Amino acid sequence: MTQHRSRLLAESSLLERLTLLHVSILLIATTWGFGGNALWLRPILAWWGTVGVLITLSAALGPKEAGISLRPLVTIWPFLLFNALALLALATPSFREIHFGTDPVYLPLEVPSWRPSAALPGKSRDALWLYDALYVSCFNIALVFRRRTIVRTLLMVAMFNGLALAAFGTVQKLSGSTGLYFGLVKIKQPYFFSSFIYHNHWSAFAVMMAAVCLAVAWRFARHPSPRGFAHTPGLAAILAAFLIATTVPLSGSRSGSVLMAALLIAAFFHWIARLVRQRRRDHTSPVLPIAGAVLAMVLAGGAVWLIAGEMITARFHLTQQQVATMRAAGTIGSRVNLYRDTWHMAKDRPWFGWGMASYEYVFTLYNSQQPNPADHLPIFYSQAHNDWLQSLAEHGVIGTVLLGLCGLVPLAGLRRPQLTSPIFQYLIAGCSIILFYAWMEFPFGNTAVVLCWWLCYFCAVRYAQLHPVDSPTKD
């Protein structure tokens, strides 16, 4: 198996290998560099991601290599239209920055609500540059890769990178570290994990990496080596999925733990259904292997409790306290007010929004939250804690629809036989879970999550495209 993989990689084109190397370096640098959310790191990531544009131009304008199709370029039109609107908005600032000493103050300007504008064009330009660099780098997967082996190799890179981050984060957490990188970097809030500043961002990343692990495991379960499944990367993928899943409750992410549990339970029943069908074909009873699998799940749950039980208990008690506080106050928390205020912000510029990366500056005009009675300090929000609402506020209906079409248009050309691969299904499932999570949190406020979402998405699309529609399903 290893020799076969090495031979196929050696036969891959130079452009494929460059794309694989480029995306792999971008992934590793982003995930290990504070999840890509360090302000000083973002320009570096944007510059490195911009190298992907050269790869795109080489594939589109250079000598056409065998197996490389330019058809994916047809699907990029929503991305180009979104960029056109974002660039048009840069010409019309809707805020003016003035300084009192060293403190900046942002004053709103009169701009018609129907005109595309950017609250602070410089902030919008930098955010658009980084987003484009991530998107184009991952789009090259669909444009350049011509062998499924290369797609699986990139998924293996993502899997082992996620496993390394999970192991690092686990040791860091269990050692009682009070900051990132074993205390070398101090941060204000305690809920960090691994190299990620915010635990809910880690949980979104972990869910996608668990989906990658399950996709790899299923591929090798359906096509094991002559020496058996245990001698394939599939076994390592299962172990990696377990360790990565364990880190979510260990990080203290309650919502992420629920989503991870849903993914693993769905995968378990998927395996049970496949086992029952196979046993029926072989006229043997599935009871014994199912009982063994249930026992393994119970033991795995015990191991999770052993590692993360203290954090799970602490977060459960916190949840009880928050529910009691909400009942006493007769409300369901400040999120409702936050979402209502964000909706008011979106309604004032419904078509094109306030501009990319404008939320934290514009929302101060709409924030109705009262100061904390304990310390009388004002409450600020830099994110809406709902990426869908924030997208409406920043990009308007038109921009949000174009972002959605970026993820829908490439799927439109796929045929039903191409959608049957577990690799496609698990990667799309991971992406779909994060889209659902974005209704209650802001996973796309993290650079690494944005990168991994597009990486998983285009790996799924390309893997499906490389499956001939007139042949039996093979992975």
Side-chain angles (χ1 to χ4, degrees), residues 27-111:
L27 172 68
I28 294 170
T30 304
T31 52
W32 284 91
F34 306 97
N37 272 28
L39 295 180
W40 62 267
L41 182 62
R42 289 185 176 185
I44 299 174
L45 297 175
W47 275 113
W48 178 250
T50 304
V51 174
V53 177
L54 301 179
I55 295 176
T56 306
L57 294 176
S58 297
L61 304 178
K64 188 176 179 181
E65 299 181 8
I68 293 182
S69 171
L70 300 184
R71 292 181 63 184
L73 289 173
V74 178
T75 66
I76 206 172
W77 62 265
F79 171 75
L80 297 178
L81 285 179
F82 175 81
N83 268 265
L85 283 178
L87 292 173
L88 180 62
L90 297 182
T92 308
S94 57
F95 273 62
R96 181 164 63 94
E97 181 178 350
I98 62 175
H99 288 267
F100 288 98
T102 58
D103 298 325
V105 176
Y106 303 102
L107 301 178
L109 302 173
E110 290 291 334
V111 177

Side-chain angles (χ1 to χ4, degrees), residues 6-25 55 65 68 144-147 150 153:
S6 300
R7 180 177 59 82
L8 288 176
L9 286 175
E11 293 175 356
S12 61
S13 70
L14 175 62
L15 204 55
E16 281 181 297
R17 294 195 295 270
L18 287 175
T19 302
L20 176 63
L21 178 64
H22 175 253
V23 177
S24 298
I25 292 175
I55 295 176
E65 299 181 8
I68 293 182
V144 174
F145 284 5
R146 54 181 180 164
R147 296 175 183 272
I150 304 295
T153 299

Side-chain angles (χ1 to χ4, degrees), residues 118-143:
L120 298 173
K123 304 285 186 182
S124 298
R125 182 192 62 242
D126 292 344
L128 180 65
W129 178 28
L130 179 59
Y131 176 77
D132 286 354
L134 301 179
Y135 178 91
V136 171
S137 296
C138 295
F139 172 77
N140 287 335
I141 296 169
L143 181 63

Side-chain angles (χ1 to χ4, degrees), residues 103-414:
D103 298 325
V105 176
Y106 303 102
L107 301 178
L109 302 173
E110 290 291 334
V111 177
S113 61
W114 52 264
R115 179 183 297 176
S117 64
L120 298 173
K123 304 285 186 182
S124 298
R125 182 192 62 242
D126 292 344
L128 180 65
W129 178 28
L130 179 59
Y131 176 77
D132 286 354
L134 301 179
Y135 178 91
V136 171
S137 296
C138 295
F139 172 77
N140 287 335
I141 296 169
L143 181 63
V144 174
F145 284 5
R146 54 181 180 164
R147 296 175 183 272
R148 288 200 239 178
T149 302
I150 304 295
V151 180
R152 291 197 297 268
T153 299
L154 180 56
L155 293 176
M156 297 280 283
V157 170
M159 181 183 78
F160 284 113
N161 179 66
L163 177 61
L165 282 162
F168 170 74
T170 300
V171 174
Q172 178 178 257
K173 189 73 173 181
L174 296 179
S175 69
S177 175
T178 58
L180 294 170
Y181 303 104
F182 293 99
L184 292 177
V185 179
K186 302 295 183 182
I187 58 175
K188 296 179 180 179
Q189 56 89 20
Y191 293 114
F192 60 90
F193 193 84
S194 190
S195 60
F196 284 64
I197 298 171
Y198 183 44
H199 61 170
N200 283 342
H201 288 159
W202 166 261
S203 68
F205 169 77
V207 165
M208 285 189 290
M209 290 303 100
V212 169
C213 294
L214 293 171
V216 172
W218 266 101
R219 192 273 167 188
F220 287 102
R222 296 181 65 173
H223 303 280
S225 72
R227 299 174 62 189
F229 177 75
H231 295 276
T232 70
L235 180 60
I238 292 177
L239 296 176
F242 169 73
L243 178 57
I244 292 172
T246 302
T247 64
V248 177
L250 182 62
S251 72
S253 175
R254 294 167 290 184
S255 53
S257 298
V258 173
L259 296 178
M260 181 65 80
L263 174 65
L264 296 181
I265 291 171
F268 179 74
F269 281 106
H270 182 199
W271 179 80
I272 291 293
R274 180 178 180 272
L275 177 66
V276 170
R277 289 195 301 268
Q278 184 177 354
R279 289 280 173 161
R280 283 178 177 175
R281 287 195 301 266
D282 299 338
H283 303 289
T284 55
S285 173
V287 174
L288 188 60
I290 290 177
V294 171
L295 177 60
M297 290 287 287
V298 172
L299 293 175
V304 171
W305 182 262
L306 182 65
I307 296 173
E310 184 177 348
M311 178 59 74
I312 294 172
T313 301
R315 298 298 283 173
F316 177 74
H317 290 323
L318 177 61
T319 302
Q320 287 182 314
Q321 293 173 5
Q322 290 174 337
V323 171
T325 301
M326 287 187 290
R327 285 178 176 175
T331 65
I332 57 175
S334 60
R335 286 289 180 93
V336 173
N337 295 330
L338 174 60
Y339 293 164
R340 183 194 63 233
D341 294 341
T342 302
W343 175 244
H344 290 160
M345 175 180 165
K347 286 198 303 181
D348 281 351
R349 290 187 178 275
W351 299 113
F352 302 105
W354 291 86
M356 202 166 192
S358 64
Y359 185 85
E360 65 177 301
Y361 307 102
V362 179
F363 186 70
T364 56
L365 303 177
Y366 295 87
N367 188 5
S368 66
Q369 300 281 352
Q370 298 300 315
N372 192 324
D375 51 23
H376 302 288
L377 293 177
I379 299 175
F380 295 102
Y381 289 96
S382 61
Q383 303 285 341
H385 291 264
N386 183 318
D387 281 332
W388 291 90
L389 274 177
Q390 185 164 332
S391 179
L392 285 174
E394 292 191 337
H395 308 299
V397 172
I398 294 177
T400 300
V401 168
L402 288 174
L403 284 174
L405 289 175
C406 287
L408 290 176
V409 171
L411 294 175
L414 299 178

